[in-house]
mmCIF file of all heavy atoms in Angstrom:
data_model
loop_
_atom_site.group_PDB
_atom_site.id
_atom_site.type_symbol
_atom_site.label_atom_id
_atom_site.label_comp_id
_atom_site.label_asym_id
_atom_site.label_seq_id
_atom_site.Cartn_x
_atom_site.Cartn_y
_atom_site.Cartn_z
ATOM 1 N N GLN Z 1225 -32.693 2.107 -48.795
ATOM 2 C CA GLN Z 1225 -31.360 2.692 -48.878
ATOM 3 C C GLN Z 1225 -30.469 1.980 -49.894
ATOM 4 O O GLN Z 1225 -29.480 2.541 -50.353
ATOM 5 C CB GLN Z 1225 -30.660 2.724 -47.509
ATOM 6 C CG GLN Z 1225 -30.649 1.421 -46.755
ATOM 7 C CD GLN Z 1225 -31.784 1.349 -45.770
ATOM 8 O OE1 GLN Z 1225 -32.950 1.360 -46.135
ATOM 9 N NE2 GLN Z 1225 -31.453 1.308 -44.491
ATOM 10 N N ASP Z 1226 -30.818 0.746 -50.258
ATOM 11 C CA ASP Z 1226 -30.048 0.015 -51.261
ATOM 12 C C ASP Z 1226 -30.613 0.194 -52.661
ATOM 13 O O ASP Z 1226 -30.019 -0.293 -53.629
ATOM 14 C CB ASP Z 1226 -30.047 -1.484 -50.942
ATOM 15 C CG ASP Z 1226 -29.368 -1.803 -49.624
ATOM 16 O OD1 ASP Z 1226 -28.318 -1.192 -49.337
ATOM 17 O OD2 ASP Z 1226 -29.887 -2.650 -48.879
ATOM 18 N N ASN Z 1227 -31.773 0.838 -52.773
ATOM 19 C CA ASN Z 1227 -32.506 0.829 -54.034
ATOM 20 C C ASN Z 1227 -33.018 2.215 -54.433
ATOM 21 O O ASN Z 1227 -34.173 2.383 -54.840
ATOM 22 C CB ASN Z 1227 -33.669 -0.169 -53.931
ATOM 23 C CG ASN Z 1227 -33.179 -1.590 -53.739
ATOM 24 O OD1 ASN Z 1227 -32.692 -2.216 -54.664
ATOM 25 N ND2 ASN Z 1227 -33.292 -2.090 -52.508
ATOM 26 N N ASN Z 1228 -32.115 3.196 -54.285
ATOM 27 C CA ASN Z 1228 -32.436 4.559 -54.717
ATOM 28 C C ASN Z 1228 -33.752 5.041 -54.108
ATOM 29 O O ASN Z 1228 -34.592 5.650 -54.766
ATOM 30 C CB ASN Z 1228 -32.496 4.626 -56.246
ATOM 31 C CG ASN Z 1228 -32.387 6.045 -56.762
ATOM 32 O OD1 ASN Z 1228 -31.828 6.920 -56.091
ATOM 33 N ND2 ASN Z 1228 -32.920 6.286 -57.947
ATOM 34 N N ASN Z 1229 -33.933 4.712 -52.797
ATOM 35 C CA ASN Z 1229 -35.107 5.113 -52.012
ATOM 36 C C ASN Z 1229 -36.408 4.446 -52.458
ATOM 37 O O ASN Z 1229 -37.500 4.922 -52.112
ATOM 38 C CB ASN Z 1229 -35.278 6.635 -52.000
ATOM 39 C CG ASN Z 1229 -34.241 7.314 -51.122
ATOM 40 O OD1 ASN Z 1229 -33.895 6.788 -50.052
ATOM 41 N ND2 ASN Z 1229 -33.709 8.441 -51.573
ATOM 42 N N HIS Z 1230 -36.302 3.344 -53.158
ATOM 43 C CA HIS Z 1230 -37.492 2.570 -53.530
ATOM 44 C C HIS Z 1230 -37.519 1.272 -52.730
ATOM 45 O O HIS Z 1230 -36.492 0.651 -52.482
ATOM 46 C CB HIS Z 1230 -37.486 2.246 -55.026
ATOM 47 C CG HIS Z 1230 -37.695 3.439 -55.900
ATOM 48 N ND1 HIS Z 1230 -38.940 3.961 -56.155
ATOM 49 C CD2 HIS Z 1230 -36.802 4.213 -56.571
ATOM 50 C CE1 HIS Z 1230 -38.816 5.010 -56.953
ATOM 51 N NE2 HIS Z 1230 -37.526 5.188 -57.219
ATOM 52 N N ALA Z 1231 -38.707 0.851 -52.341
ATOM 53 C CA ALA Z 1231 -38.898 -0.448 -51.699
ATOM 54 C C ALA Z 1231 -40.325 -0.928 -51.923
ATOM 55 O O ALA Z 1231 -40.548 -1.987 -52.504
ATOM 56 C CB ALA Z 1231 -38.579 -0.390 -50.208
ATOM 57 N N LEU Z 1232 -41.292 -0.128 -51.480
ATOM 58 C CA LEU Z 1232 -42.687 -0.553 -51.527
ATOM 59 C C LEU Z 1232 -43.218 -0.647 -52.948
ATOM 60 O O LEU Z 1232 -44.208 -1.348 -53.195
ATOM 61 C CB LEU Z 1232 -43.559 0.396 -50.707
ATOM 62 C CG LEU Z 1232 -43.112 0.640 -49.250
ATOM 63 C CD1 LEU Z 1232 -44.121 1.525 -48.534
ATOM 64 C CD2 LEU Z 1232 -42.932 -0.679 -48.505
ATOM 65 N N ASP Z 1233 -42.581 0.055 -53.885
ATOM 66 C CA ASP Z 1233 -43.082 0.055 -55.266
ATOM 67 C C ASP Z 1233 -42.231 -0.801 -56.204
ATOM 68 O O ASP Z 1233 -42.395 -0.745 -57.421
ATOM 69 C CB ASP Z 1233 -43.147 1.488 -55.799
ATOM 70 C CG ASP Z 1233 -41.788 2.186 -55.774
ATOM 71 O OD1 ASP Z 1233 -40.889 1.705 -55.061
ATOM 72 O OD2 ASP Z 1233 -41.636 3.206 -56.466
ATOM 73 N N ILE Z 1234 -41.340 -1.604 -55.660
ATOM 74 C CA ILE Z 1234 -40.511 -2.469 -56.505
ATOM 75 C C ILE Z 1234 -41.285 -3.737 -56.859
ATOM 76 O O ILE Z 1234 -41.937 -4.343 -56.006
ATOM 77 C CB ILE Z 1234 -39.198 -2.838 -55.792
ATOM 78 C CG1 ILE Z 1234 -38.291 -1.600 -55.668
ATOM 79 C CG2 ILE Z 1234 -38.452 -3.949 -56.542
ATOM 80 C CD1 ILE Z 1234 -37.012 -1.855 -54.910
ATOM 81 N N SER Z 1235 -41.220 -4.110 -58.108
ATOM 82 C CA SER Z 1235 -41.799 -5.386 -58.537
ATOM 83 C C SER Z 1235 -40.702 -6.249 -59.135
ATOM 84 O O SER Z 1235 -39.632 -5.761 -59.523
ATOM 85 C CB SER Z 1235 -42.939 -5.166 -59.535
ATOM 86 O OG SER Z 1235 -42.482 -4.480 -60.684
ATOM 87 N N LEU Z 1236 -40.982 -7.550 -59.212
ATOM 88 C CA LEU Z 1236 -39.964 -8.513 -59.614
ATOM 89 C C LEU Z 1236 -40.607 -9.593 -60.472
ATOM 90 O O LEU Z 1236 -41.709 -10.060 -60.174
ATOM 91 C CB LEU Z 1236 -39.335 -9.141 -58.364
ATOM 92 C CG LEU Z 1236 -38.171 -10.119 -58.552
ATOM 93 C CD1 LEU Z 1236 -36.941 -9.389 -59.048
ATOM 94 C CD2 LEU Z 1236 -37.866 -10.808 -57.219
ATOM 95 N N ASN Z 1237 -39.919 -9.983 -61.500
ATOM 96 C CA ASN Z 1237 -40.361 -11.128 -62.296
ATOM 97 C C ASN Z 1237 -39.996 -12.401 -61.545
ATOM 98 O O ASN Z 1237 -38.864 -12.563 -61.101
ATOM 99 C CB ASN Z 1237 -39.679 -11.105 -63.666
ATOM 100 C CG ASN Z 1237 -40.228 -12.152 -64.606
ATOM 101 O OD1 ASN Z 1237 -40.303 -13.317 -64.257
ATOM 102 N ND2 ASN Z 1237 -40.605 -11.730 -65.805
ATOM 103 N N GLU Z 1238 -40.965 -13.298 -61.416
ATOM 104 C CA GLU Z 1238 -40.707 -14.501 -60.623
ATOM 105 C C GLU Z 1238 -39.623 -15.390 -61.219
ATOM 106 O O GLU Z 1238 -39.068 -16.244 -60.530
ATOM 107 C CB GLU Z 1238 -41.991 -15.304 -60.438
ATOM 108 C CG GLU Z 1238 -42.592 -15.851 -61.719
ATOM 109 C CD GLU Z 1238 -43.928 -16.539 -61.478
ATOM 110 O OE1 GLU Z 1238 -44.722 -16.040 -60.664
ATOM 111 O OE2 GLU Z 1238 -44.164 -17.564 -62.125
ATOM 112 N N GLN Z 1239 -39.300 -15.202 -62.479
ATOM 113 C CA GLN Z 1239 -38.232 -15.969 -63.117
ATOM 114 C C GLN Z 1239 -36.952 -15.142 -63.291
ATOM 115 O O GLN Z 1239 -35.996 -15.606 -63.911
ATOM 116 C CB GLN Z 1239 -38.697 -16.466 -64.493
ATOM 117 C CG GLN Z 1239 -39.954 -17.325 -64.454
ATOM 118 C CD GLN Z 1239 -39.796 -18.584 -63.624
ATOM 119 O OE1 GLN Z 1239 -38.716 -19.142 -63.522
ATOM 120 N NE2 GLN Z 1239 -40.881 -19.024 -63.008
ATOM 121 N N ALA Z 1240 -36.941 -13.923 -62.755
ATOM 122 C CA ALA Z 1240 -35.780 -13.043 -62.951
ATOM 123 C C ALA Z 1240 -34.534 -13.648 -62.303
ATOM 124 O O ALA Z 1240 -34.579 -14.102 -61.162
ATOM 125 C CB ALA Z 1240 -36.068 -11.672 -62.353
ATOM 126 N N PRO Z 1241 -33.422 -13.654 -63.007
ATOM 127 C CA PRO Z 1241 -32.182 -14.180 -62.412
ATOM 128 C C PRO Z 1241 -31.649 -13.235 -61.338
ATOM 129 O O PRO Z 1241 -31.671 -12.009 -61.493
ATOM 130 C CB PRO Z 1241 -31.230 -14.261 -63.611
ATOM 131 C CG PRO Z 1241 -31.742 -13.243 -64.577
ATOM 132 C CD PRO Z 1241 -33.231 -13.214 -64.404
ATOM 133 N N LEU Z 1242 -31.206 -13.807 -60.256
ATOM 134 C CA LEU Z 1242 -30.607 -13.039 -59.165
ATOM 135 C C LEU Z 1242 -29.221 -13.609 -58.891
ATOM 136 O O LEU Z 1242 -29.028 -14.829 -58.917
ATOM 137 C CB LEU Z 1242 -31.468 -13.120 -57.906
ATOM 138 C CG LEU Z 1242 -32.853 -12.479 -57.983
ATOM 139 C CD1 LEU Z 1242 -33.708 -12.913 -56.803
ATOM 140 C CD2 LEU Z 1242 -32.739 -10.956 -58.027
ATOM 141 N N THR Z 1243 -28.298 -12.732 -58.612
ATOM 142 C CA THR Z 1243 -26.918 -13.141 -58.358
ATOM 143 C C THR Z 1243 -26.587 -12.944 -56.885
ATOM 144 O O THR Z 1243 -26.862 -11.875 -56.314
ATOM 145 C CB THR Z 1243 -25.939 -12.309 -59.213
ATOM 146 O OG1 THR Z 1243 -26.268 -12.484 -60.596
ATOM 147 C CG2 THR Z 1243 -24.508 -12.756 -58.972
ATOM 148 N N ALA Z 1244 -26.031 -13.968 -56.264
ATOM 149 C CA ALA Z 1244 -25.640 -13.886 -54.859
ATOM 150 C C ALA Z 1244 -24.213 -13.378 -54.735
ATOM 151 O O ALA Z 1244 -23.325 -13.777 -55.491
ATOM 152 C CB ALA Z 1244 -25.765 -15.251 -54.197
ATOM 153 N N GLU Z 1245 -24.013 -12.488 -53.767
ATOM 154 C CA GLU Z 1245 -22.684 -11.912 -53.557
ATOM 155 C C GLU Z 1245 -22.482 -11.704 -52.060
ATOM 156 O O GLU Z 1245 -23.281 -11.031 -51.411
ATOM 157 C CB GLU Z 1245 -22.582 -10.578 -54.297
ATOM 158 C CG GLU Z 1245 -21.265 -9.852 -54.119
ATOM 159 C CD GLU Z 1245 -21.282 -8.504 -54.814
ATOM 160 O OE1 GLU Z 1245 -21.463 -8.473 -56.054
ATOM 161 O OE2 GLU Z 1245 -21.137 -7.467 -54.108
ATOM 162 N N TYR Z 1246 -21.427 -12.292 -51.520
ATOM 163 C CA TYR Z 1246 -21.139 -12.105 -50.095
ATOM 164 C C TYR Z 1246 -20.377 -10.803 -49.899
ATOM 165 O O TYR Z 1246 -19.358 -10.567 -50.539
ATOM 166 C CB TYR Z 1246 -20.319 -13.272 -49.541
ATOM 167 C CG TYR Z 1246 -20.102 -13.165 -48.043
ATOM 168 C CD1 TYR Z 1246 -21.121 -13.489 -47.155
ATOM 169 C CD2 TYR Z 1246 -18.883 -12.737 -47.525
ATOM 170 C CE1 TYR Z 1246 -20.941 -13.381 -45.783
ATOM 171 C CE2 TYR Z 1246 -18.687 -12.637 -46.153
ATOM 172 C CZ TYR Z 1246 -19.725 -12.960 -45.283
ATOM 173 O OH TYR Z 1246 -19.534 -12.848 -43.930
ATOM 174 N N GLN Z 1247 -20.897 -9.954 -49.009
ATOM 175 C CA GLN Z 1247 -20.260 -8.668 -48.725
ATOM 176 C C GLN Z 1247 -19.850 -8.638 -47.258
ATOM 177 O O GLN Z 1247 -20.683 -8.469 -46.365
ATOM 178 C CB GLN Z 1247 -21.214 -7.520 -49.058
ATOM 179 C CG GLN Z 1247 -21.564 -7.433 -50.537
ATOM 180 C CD GLN Z 1247 -22.361 -6.190 -50.890
ATOM 181 O OE1 GLN Z 1247 -22.673 -5.351 -50.036
ATOM 182 N NE2 GLN Z 1247 -22.695 -6.054 -52.170
ATOM 183 N N LYS Z 1248 -18.568 -8.825 -47.021
ATOM 184 C CA LYS Z 1248 -18.070 -8.973 -45.657
ATOM 185 C C LYS Z 1248 -18.183 -7.696 -44.833
ATOM 186 O O LYS Z 1248 -18.223 -7.751 -43.599
ATOM 187 C CB LYS Z 1248 -16.619 -9.454 -45.671
ATOM 188 C CG LYS Z 1248 -15.632 -8.447 -46.271
ATOM 189 C CD LYS Z 1248 -14.202 -8.969 -46.184
ATOM 190 C CE LYS Z 1248 -13.214 -7.931 -46.717
ATOM 191 N NZ LYS Z 1248 -11.806 -8.399 -46.612
ATOM 192 N N ASP Z 1249 -18.228 -6.539 -45.498
ATOM 193 C CA ASP Z 1249 -18.265 -5.267 -44.771
ATOM 194 C C ASP Z 1249 -19.675 -4.711 -44.603
ATOM 195 O O ASP Z 1249 -19.845 -3.626 -44.052
ATOM 196 C CB ASP Z 1249 -17.390 -4.238 -45.497
ATOM 197 C CG ASP Z 1249 -15.926 -4.638 -45.531
ATOM 198 O OD1 ASP Z 1249 -15.461 -5.220 -44.531
ATOM 199 O OD2 ASP Z 1249 -15.260 -4.393 -46.551
ATOM 200 N N LEU Z 1250 -20.677 -5.432 -45.062
ATOM 201 C CA LEU Z 1250 -22.059 -4.976 -44.935
ATOM 202 C C LEU Z 1250 -22.755 -5.756 -43.828
ATOM 203 O O LEU Z 1250 -22.786 -6.987 -43.848
ATOM 204 C CB LEU Z 1250 -22.800 -5.171 -46.262
ATOM 205 C CG LEU Z 1250 -24.281 -4.778 -46.268
ATOM 206 C CD1 LEU Z 1250 -24.447 -3.278 -46.059
ATOM 207 C CD2 LEU Z 1250 -24.954 -5.220 -47.563
#
């Protein structure tokens, strides 16, 4: 539901930068 109905087919680069964000309403 967060990824345009994708989950099982998502891949990630092990060095990919990720940004942390606190969402108080989620």
Side-chain angles (χ1 to χ4, degrees):
Q1225 51 264 63
D1226 297 319
N1227 296 285
N1228 198 25
N1229 287 322
H1230 291 279
L1232 307 184
D1233 59 343
I1234 291 177
S1235 60
L1236 184 69
N1237 188 308
E1238 64 185 39
Q1239 302 300 329
L1242 295 167
T1243 302
E1245 178 184 300
Y1246 185 77
Q1247 296 188 0
K1248 66 177 183 179
D1249 297 324
L1250 178 66

